Amino acid sequence: MSISPAIAKEQESEFHGSRIRQTPKSIATHQRIIEAAIRCFLEIGYHRTTTSEIAKQARVTRGAVQYYFPTTPEVLRATVDHIIQGFTAEYLAATTNVAHEGGEGLDQGIDALWHAAHSPLWTAWKELEAAARTEPELASIMGPAKAAFAARWEQTAKDLYGSFLVADPVKFEMGRHLAWQFLQGLASSRLTHAEEDQAVKQHLLAEFKRLMRQYWGLEG
């Protein structure tokens, strides 16, 4: 899982406030450990992820992981922050140079959300959300993070699709929640045989776009 230059810049800024001497190598190692933790959550799940597994994925020693992240909450916070930043950056990249208003903007906005619903970062986030239900330490981190993520996600939608917000704030709020919840569910569902599943989902996606156009009075 690669890291974008924008996210690297944000994490480098945060890392500069740590106790560790900052060098290009130390910054790269810090980021590599975070990415390794995310891969562990994706491949073996939160409950099977250990410092040793993270070290193996990051190709560093266990001691190196503990040097950069002396406690479990520290690596979890850094990982959660990376997911929020990276997921938002991916979504913004998917909406670059596309329409943000009218029927075309609505369709392209749904396509961007559909892409986001398949992001490995979103899968990792859902894994942490699920684990937090039975892990108090993780729950104490995910609670504030979820609130921050929700606020950032809402503001991103408002910044990108302000014309819909101005047209009808209530409809905008309902519509964005409806779209995101439907697309998440569709992305994670197995509807039929594997070879047919994607075709069925594409038909449903096209129908959902038609219904959302109708919702906004943008038919045709």
Side-chain angles (χ1 to χ4, degrees):
M1 184 180 298
S2 62
I3 186 168
S4 73
I7 302 310
K9 191 72 173 178
E10 283 192 58
Q11 291 188 344
E12 180 178 339
S13 177
E14 293 175 2
F15 188 47
H16 280 318
S18 76
R19 61 180 174 76
I20 299 168
R21 180 172 173 266
Q22 285 82 38
T23 65
K25 182 179 178 181
S26 66
I27 293 168
T29 302
H30 182 270
Q31 294 169 351
R32 196 162 74 242
I33 290 170
I34 293 172
E35 292 181 338
I38 293 173
R39 283 196 299 275
C40 285
F41 298 149
L42 289 170
E43 294 172 9
I44 62 175
Y46 173 83
H47 292 290
R48 292 177 60 194
T49 296
T50 63
T51 301
S52 295
E53 286 294 335
I54 293 173
K56 181 180 177 181
Q57 282 278 1
R59 302 185 305 281
V60 299
T61 65
R62 188 171 182 274
V65 175
Q66 293 175 323
Y67 174 71
Y68 287 94
F69 301 101
T71 67
T72 299
E74 286 184 77
V75 70
L76 288 175
R77 287 192 186 92
T79 301
V80 167
D81 286 346
H82 173 80
I83 291 172
I84 293 174
Q85 294 166 14
F87 180 76
T88 307
E90 285 181 356
Y91 178 70
L92 289 172
T95 60
T96 300
N97 301 321
V98 300
H100 291 151
E101 57 185 25
E104 183 183 6
L106 190 63
D107 285 357
Q108 291 175 339
I110 291 171
D111 285 338
L113 287 175
W114 180 241
H115 175 80
H118 290 84
S119 169
L121 290 174
W122 184 246
T123 302
W125 178 265
K126 299 302 289 183
E127 169 68 17
L128 292 175
E129 272 194 323
R133 291 198 291 267
T134 57
E135 294 286 343
E137 186 173 61
L138 179 58
S140 69
I141 294 168
M142 289 299 291
K146 287 169 69 174
F149 200 174
R152 186 166 183 168
W153 192 233
E154 178 181 4
Q155 189 58 52
T156 299
K158 289 178 176 179
D159 291 343
L160 289 173
Y161 300 101
S163 62
F164 292 96
L165 175 64
V166 171
D168 191 324
V170 174
K171 185 175 284 189
F172 173 84
E173 189 67 8
M174 294 295 291
R176 76 179 187 87
H177 283 298
L178 173 63
W180 183 227
Q181 294 304 319
F182 173 77
L183 294 171
Q184 284 184 76
L186 184 61
S188 62
S189 298
R190 174 60 62 84
L191 304 174
T192 183
H193 299 298
E195 62 271 17
E196 299 176 4
D197 195 64
Q198 289 306 311
V200 172
K201 287 182 177 180
Q202 287 303 313
H203 283 305
L204 288 172
L205 186 61
E207 179 63 12
F208 182 70
K209 288 179 181 178
R210 186 189 69 79
L211 291 172
M212 289 302 290
R213 279 175 172 256
Q214 186 177 50
Y215 176 79
W216 280 104
L218 297 169
E219 297 174 281

